[in-house]
């Protein structure tokens, strides 16, 4: 290993340690709970070393968000390779999205915090671009399946609809639903005892509503969810069950 490669690895290892220490600190205490002085006292690095990696704690928060988004992207790409109809493949993406939330329940807290203007404005353009690229690639995976469905005549859009609208509809339903599940403690009180299953049904209502074939009246998409979970995401299921 060359000197340059060794130094690069050391930089990556230091950054990983900082983030490993910062994540629980942020999850437990929120924005105000993430403190650079506390990080310094918990790590063997000087404050200057930490600031060489992250100029402010907002840079740490956006990097935490990027870390998790990269994991979601990997899961989406894995799900997109599922062998089946276009509707089954989009169901596989839904499976990946649900398992992602169960694996990383604190992701939405990180992402929603970083979206606040007062925090977002303090982050670097470079990291904003990395985060946006992760999002665009996730949506690109979904868009590819939508276009595949159109090419196979599984989905016929009217003259005013576009693939991007379908992707946005799925994204809105997904982000809104999972954000509520991740942040609300009162769903039982309003009669929602199985929110993940209910959200799956709403996905199917949306897809049936745009006539994406085969409809849920002819295919058991809960069974597809189980198949994808076991065949594609066996390792993730084990992590969730631990």
């Amino acid at each position: 290993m060359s000197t340059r490669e060794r130094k690069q690895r050391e930089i990556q290892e230091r950054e990983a340690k900082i983030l490993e220490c910062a994540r629980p600190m942020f999850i437990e205490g929120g924005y105000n709970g993430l403190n650079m002085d506390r990080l310094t006292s918990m790590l063997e690095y000087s404050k200057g070393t930490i600031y060489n990696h992250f100029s402010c704690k907002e840079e740490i928060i956006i990097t935490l968000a990027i870390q998790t988004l990269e994991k979601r992207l990997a899961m989406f790409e894995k799900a997109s390779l599922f062998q089946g109809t276009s509707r089954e493949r989009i169901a596989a993406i839904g499976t990946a999205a649900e398992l992602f939330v169960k694996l990383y329940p604190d992701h939405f807290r990180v992402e929603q915090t970083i979206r606040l203007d007062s925090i977002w404005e303090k982050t670097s353009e470079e990291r904003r671009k990395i985060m946006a690229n992760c999002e665009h690639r996730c949506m690109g995976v979904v868009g590819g399946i939508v276009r595949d469905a159109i090419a196979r005549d599984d989905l016929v859009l009217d003259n005013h609809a576009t693939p991007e609208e379908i992707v946005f509809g799925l994204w809105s339903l997904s982000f809104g639903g999972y954000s509520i599940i991740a942040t609300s403690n009162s769903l039982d009180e309003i009669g929602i005892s199985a929110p993940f299953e209910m959200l799956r049904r709403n996905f199917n209502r949306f897809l049936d509503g745009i006539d994406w074939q085969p409809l849920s009246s002819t295919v058991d998409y809960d069974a597809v969810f189980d198949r994808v979970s076991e065949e594609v995401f066996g390792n993730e299921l084990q992590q969730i069950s631990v």
Side-chain angles (χ1 to χ4, degrees):
M1 180 181 294
S2 68
T3 301
R4 181 179 179 182
E5 289 173 333
R6 185 172 61 254
K7 287 183 177 179
Q8 187 63 36
R9 188 177 70 176
E10 289 172 355
I11 290 172
Q12 292 171 348
E13 289 174 349
R14 280 199 301 270
E15 184 168 305
K17 286 182 180 179
I18 294 168
L19 294 171
E20 183 180 355
C21 186
R23 185 176 289 276
M25 191 182 296
F26 173 80
I27 297 306
E28 292 168 11
Y31 176 77
N32 291 327
L34 180 56
N35 184 280
M36 301 298 261
D37 289 328
R38 282 186 62 202
L39 274 177
T40 301
S41 65
M42 294 173 71
L43 295 164
E44 70 271 23
Y45 311 133
S46 67
K47 186 180 292 187
T49 298
I50 294 177
Y51 277 109
N52 282 337
H53 289 273
F54 303 101
S55 60
C56 57
K57 68 179 181 179
E58 289 80 8
E59 283 284 273
I60 292 178
I61 296 171
I62 194 172
T63 307
L64 292 174
I66 290 168
Q67 274 188 335
T68 331
L69 283 172
E70 288 173 341
K71 292 174 182 176
R72 182 169 67 187
L73 173 60
M75 291 180 71
F76 274 30
E77 291 176 336
K78 194 174 178 181
S80 70
L81 300 177
F82 181 72
Q83 297 299 306
T85 66
S86 63
R87 176 79 182 253
E88 288 173 332
R89 291 176 66 216
I90 206 69
I93 295 293
T95 304
E98 179 173 326
L99 294 178
F100 170 81
V101 173
K102 291 177 177 178
L103 275 170
Y104 308 106
D106 298 311
H107 164 73
F108 286 101
R109 182 175 183 182
V110 178
E111 190 169 15
Q112 289 168 348
T113 299
I114 201 62
R115 298 292 188 187
L116 296 172
D117 287 345
S118 59
I119 297 175
W120 183 257
E121 291 170 357
K122 296 178 182 178
T123 60
S124 65
E125 185 67 22
E126 178 184 0
R127 285 196 165 101
R128 291 183 202 172
K129 286 180 179 178
I130 294 171
M131 185 169 174
N133 182 56
C134 285
E135 290 182 336
H136 295 164
R137 290 174 65 189
C138 278
M139 293 308 104
V141 172
V142 179
I145 297 175
V146 173
R147 289 178 173 82
D148 181 57
I150 295 169
R152 294 170 179 265
D153 291 328
D154 294 337
L155 176 62
V156 178
L157 301 183
D158 62 40
N159 293 333
H160 302 291
T162 65
E164 289 73 23
E165 281 187 62
I166 306 305
V167 173
F168 183 71
L170 290 167
W171 187 9
S172 301
L173 185 58
S174 173
F175 187 83
Y178 291 133
S179 293
I180 292 170
I181 291 172
T183 59
S184 177
N185 297 316
S186 60
L187 293 180
D188 271 334
E189 298 173 11
I190 57 175
I192 302 174
S193 58
F196 286 106
E197 290 82 354
M198 186 174 292
L199 187 54
R200 266 183 254 154
R201 289 198 292 274
N202 282 334
F203 276 119
N204 279 320
R205 291 185 183 106
F206 174 79
L207 296 172
D208 286 347
I210 60 175
D211 201 32
W212 192 328
Q213 300 292 325
L215 301 178
S216 62
S217 57
T218 61
V219 173
D220 183 356
Y221 286 105
D222 283 333
V224 174
F225 174 89
D226 292 337
R227 277 181 54 210
V228 174
S229 297
E230 294 173 5
E231 295 175 13
V232 181
F233 295 112
N235 291 336
E236 287 79 3
L237 276 179
Q238 289 182 355
Q239 293 177 52
I240 291 170
S241 62
V242 170

